[in-house]
Amino acid sequence: QDPQLRRLLLYPAELLDHHLSVQSNDFFCRKTNSINLYSPEISSLFYYFCISFLVKKMNESAEEIQKKDRPNRRRAICLFFKTILHWRYNIKISGLETFDEDKTFLIFPNHQAVIDPIILFSEFYNQKIQPLVDEVYFKNPIFRKILALFDAICVPDLGKNRKGVEQARQLQNLTLQSLRDGKNVLFYPSGHITLNGKESIGNRQLAYNVCRNLPENVTIVCIKTTGLWGSIWSRYKKKKTPSIPLTLLK
């Protein structure tokens, strides 16, 4: 009913407090006279060893993770991915001054590709942000342990569950409780990566319902990501959503 709120939820990529631009680095196209250090073969080998190292570090139970220094582990993972991503992509960010440690933020990004959240969290490694993550990623034992460090909230597949309405209400309540507790929360209003390069929320109502009951101390921040539509991480000319592990190895 609120025109400004409706515009925010229908066009989250156009009302910006943050602008995140991601462009492919030309390092992979550069040739040398001796050896191409940025060839796909060498990059895949590098990613393989990096991921193997990460898996070894994450091969601990949830109880062990709880006992250890979670903030440092979370920051280390973010910096790990930041190093890898900056090796291939030229990432530019504007609007970081919006984030104030004394405020609580509800963050709405657009969703061009599956790598979006990894880029966001790697760049905001000093910020503690609680994401809403699709339940499919919790089924992967490695991802599940990483998500535990970020206190990620599991988003059930409402289309496959008869208790969809009840679970949607529980998800809304969990999100609002986190905001009341002073936690920064991030989720994608569309709920999926774009299929045609344009953001479409459809009939998803979580963003609207959360904003309608937004605590007074919470500030909404919209993030626009550009440069990833058409990349190997996007649905451009693909029938299925790209797999993060397999795409990393490419």
Side-chain angles (χ1 to χ4, degrees):
Q1 295 179 355
D2 186 335
Q4 292 184 347
L5 179 60
R6 181 172 177 79
R7 185 186 172 201
L8 169 67
L9 298 180
L10 290 177
Y11 306 102
E14 295 183 4
L15 301 178
L16 308 177
D17 287 317
H18 271 226
H19 174 243
L20 174 61
S21 177
V22 183
Q23 299 176 345
S24 179
N25 201 317
D26 63 353
F27 286 157
F28 274 78
C29 299
R30 186 179 300 168
K31 295 182 179 180
T32 64
N33 294 330
S34 54
I35 182 172
N36 182 6
L37 296 178
Y38 301 98
S39 65
E41 293 80 8
I42 293 180
S43 64
S44 296
L45 186 62
F46 173 76
Y47 290 147
Y48 172 78
F49 283 113
C50 288
I51 294 173
S52 299
F53 176 79
L54 180 62
V55 170
K56 182 179 179 180
K57 291 295 182 182
M58 293 305 301
N59 190 24
E60 298 178 350
S61 67
E63 291 76 12
E64 291 174 321
I65 291 176
Q66 290 284 349
K67 294 178 182 178
K68 296 189 177 180
D69 191 357
R70 297 180 68 189
N72 287 340
R73 281 173 165 264
R74 185 169 55 241
R75 191 177 297 109
I77 290 176
C78 292
L79 290 173
F80 168 82
F81 279 105
K82 182 175 182 178
T83 301
I84 292 179
L85 292 168
H86 274 264
W87 192 52
R88 176 161 185 170
Y89 294 100
N90 179 22
I91 301 175
K92 298 178 181 179
I93 301 179
S94 62
L96 282 176
E97 64 278 2
T98 303
F99 278 103
D100 187 334
E101 294 183 359
D102 296 330
K103 296 181 180 179
T104 301
F105 296 97
L106 174 60
I107 305 169
F108 289 151
N110 64 326
H111 208 353
Q112 286 197 328
V114 292
I115 199 67
D116 290 349
I118 297 178
I119 291 176
L120 288 177
F121 277 85
S122 66
E123 293 298 324
F124 301 147
Y125 61 90
N126 279 328
Q127 298 285 343
K128 185 177 180 180
I129 302 175
Q130 184 177 29
L132 272 64
V133 183
D134 193 280
E135 67 175 347
V136 66
Y137 293 103
F138 284 86
K139 297 178 180 179
N140 183 299
I142 298 174
F143 286 164
R144 184 169 61 249
K145 291 175 181 178
I146 295 176
L147 293 173
L149 292 173
F150 294 87
D151 296 323
I153 300 174
C154 179
V155 179
D157 189 343
L158 303 180
K160 296 181 179 180
N161 199 310
R162 294 181 180 179
K163 298 181 179 180
V165 175
E166 179 182 346
Q167 289 186 333
R169 188 179 298 109
Q170 292 176 353
L171 187 60
Q172 174 186 328
N173 293 336
L174 286 173
T175 303
L176 288 170
Q177 187 58 51
S178 292
L179 293 171
R180 294 189 191 100
D181 293 340
K183 298 179 180 179
N184 300 320
V185 177
L186 179 150
F187 69 88
Y188 294 88
S190 63
H192 59 80
I193 65 173
T194 178
L195 305 179
N196 57 8
K198 298 180 180 180
E199 201 74 6
S200 175
I201 295 179
N203 62 352
R204 291 170 177 80
Q205 301 180 16
L206 179 61
Y208 174 78
N209 290 332
V210 170
C211 288
R212 188 176 58 179
N213 300 283
L214 200 66
E216 294 182 358
N217 63 324
V218 177
T219 300
I220 297 176
V221 175
C222 296
I223 298 180
K224 181 179 181 180
T225 304
T226 61
L228 286 175
W229 173 247
S231 70
I232 58 176
W233 304 100
S234 69
R235 282 288 299 269
Y236 179 72
K237 293 185 177 180
K238 297 184 182 74
K239 295 182 179 180
K240 296 182 179 180
T241 299
S243 166
I244 294 179
L246 294 178
T247 308
L248 270 174
L249 293 176
K250 293 180 180 180

